[in-house]
Amino acid sequence: MKVNLIYFTQTGNTRRIARAMAEVFREAGWDTRTLSLKKVTVQDAVEADLLGVGSPCFSSQAPAPIKNFLRNLPPLPDKKAFVFATSGTAPGRVLYDLYTLLNTKNADVVGGFLARGMVHHPAPCLYGRLPDRPNDEDFLQARQFAAELVRHMNSGFTGKVAGSRADTFKLRYGFYDFVALISSDAVLRWLMPKPKLNLKRCNQCRWCEFECPVHNIALDPYPTVGTACIRCYRCVNGCPQKAYSVNWKLANLVVYAFYNKTFTGWFGT
């Protein structure tokens, strides 16, 4: 059994969940690889007997880079697949997005798993929620889900894997499904502030150019953020020189209006 786990990650949370699952698959004797979206090829998806696709949750949905990758895959008729995600606030339709895109390629998506992860979004009202997640319990649950996948595949069962989240396969039409629906990349560019570069701090190391998940930063001669920015703030969070900043005065209120702890507690499970 050849298993490829393809993941998009910003801060490492989703990668760590992928690796926890991979341990179980390897213990079962399966040939397993974990593959970052930055280095993956279409062939990596095509050649797998079992394909896992994972991502973080952006604005209660799957982020643009992983969705674009899935849209560009060839047909995967009856390919066994599963999806997984990490979320620090309200997962909304993140699993459903991944499932739907694989389903349009005729893949047989047998399960979906969600883990919690610390929020690294730099909006002051969000940053730092769910500290130290994913934790040992999250990794245990990821391994248990992987063990269910092993049993499912070895048994030849049809249908869905035990322990899969129901919102993988069907929208709940809840509050955060609506938030995801209106939070297109264009809307986020309009609502959320664009990262700004401090030239005095920048040493032109090109880290941001390489790490931008939509290849939207180029040196000219200093980094310039282009018009395709999806407001993921990878440049802000990860710049080794702390050269990027964001003015959150108004946008923080917008984020708080949708993702305050009361709303995420009520509607964000």
Side-chain angles (χ1 to χ4, degrees), residues 152-216:
H152 185 90
M153 296 293 290
N154 285 341
S155 68
F157 287 159
T158 58
K160 309 309 179 189
V161 172
S164 293
R165 280 180 62 109
D167 57 346
T168 303
F169 309 105
K170 186 176 181 180
L171 279 179
R172 294 178 293 183
Y173 296 102
F175 176 75
Y176 285 106
D177 296 310
F178 170 74
V179 171
L181 182 65
I182 64 174
S183 297
S184 66
D185 291 342
V187 169
L188 290 175
R189 279 192 288 273
W190 178 62
L191 289 175
M192 297 293 102
K194 186 176 182 178
K196 293 185 177 180
L197 181 71
N198 183 336
L199 297 181
K200 294 181 180 179
R201 290 196 172 195
C202 178
N203 65 358
Q204 299 170 287
C205 70
R206 307 190 76 166
W207 181 93
C208 59
E209 182 183 25
F210 175 77
E211 286 292 327
C212 177
V214 291
H215 309 293
N216 186 56

Side-chain angles (χ1 to χ4, degrees), residues 87-197:
S87 173
T89 52
R93 57 180 292 157
V94 59
L95 292 174
Y96 184 77
D97 283 344
L98 301 175
Y99 158 73
T100 300
L101 289 167
L102 283 168
N103 192 48
T104 63
K105 302 298 179 178
N106 295 319
D108 180 13
V109 183
V110 298
F113 174 80
L114 179 79
R116 293 299 183 176
M118 176 180 164
V119 179
H120 291 272
H121 191 290
C125 67
L126 289 182
Y127 186 83
R129 288 192 195 177
L130 301 186
D132 303 318
R133 303 286 295 273
N135 57 23
D136 290 344
E137 180 62 25
D138 297 309
F139 293 125
L140 175 61
Q141 291 176 6
R143 293 187 183 99
Q144 289 173 338
F145 180 77
E148 290 293 343
L149 278 164
V150 171
R151 283 190 283 270
H152 185 90
M153 296 293 290
N154 285 341
S155 68
F157 287 159
T158 58
K160 309 309 179 189
V161 172
S164 293
R165 280 180 62 109
D167 57 346
T168 303
F169 309 105
K170 186 176 181 180
L171 279 179
R172 294 178 293 183
Y173 296 102
F175 176 75
Y176 285 106
D177 296 310
F178 170 74
V179 171
L181 182 65
I182 64 174
S183 297
S184 66
D185 291 342
V187 169
L188 290 175
R189 279 192 288 273
W190 178 62
L191 289 175
M192 297 293 102
K194 186 176 182 178
K196 293 185 177 180
L197 181 71

Side-chain angles (χ1 to χ4, degrees), residues 246-254:
V246 177
N247 183 342
W248 284 108
K249 288 182 180 178
L250 179 59
N252 189 57
L253 295 176
V254 175

